[in-house]
Amino acid sequence: MVSPPLIRRNYVIRKLRKCGVLSPETAVTFQQAGIINPNGFRRVTRVMLKRGTLAVVGDRYYLLR
């Protein structure tokens, strides 16, 4: 069984890839990317930032890899 945090991580990555946010210039908020409940699973977002999957510019996010 897949854990909810892993499902959330994959969901965030999929949504951001669909938007093509791969640099600070193209960064978007989770809401702009269409991510449901953008404030949910805050720990997942923190872990993604710490591990270098995501980067943040103000309140906008983009993928690093």
Side-chain angles (χ1 to χ4, degrees):
M1 186 163 152
V2 181
S3 69
L6 184 59
I7 292 170
R8 178 65 174 197
R9 176 188 164 276
N10 292 339
Y11 173 74
V12 168
I13 290 171
R14 195 169 47 252
K15 286 291 197 173
L16 292 175
R17 278 192 182 144
K18 185 176 178 182
C19 290
V21 291
L22 301 171
S23 70
E25 294 79 26
T26 60
V28 296
T29 64
F30 279 170
Q31 190 173 29
Q32 290 171 320
I35 295 173
I36 298 168
N37 192 9
N39 295 319
F41 293 92
R42 289 182 185 166
R43 184 167 185 235
V44 172
T45 303
R46 283 194 308 269
V47 169
M48 291 175 74
L49 289 165
K50 183 178 178 181
R51 291 186 179 169
T53 305
L54 279 181
V56 66
V57 177
D59 64 342
R60 299 176 305 133
Y61 296 89
Y62 63 98
L63 292 171
L64 291 173
R65 43 179 158 141

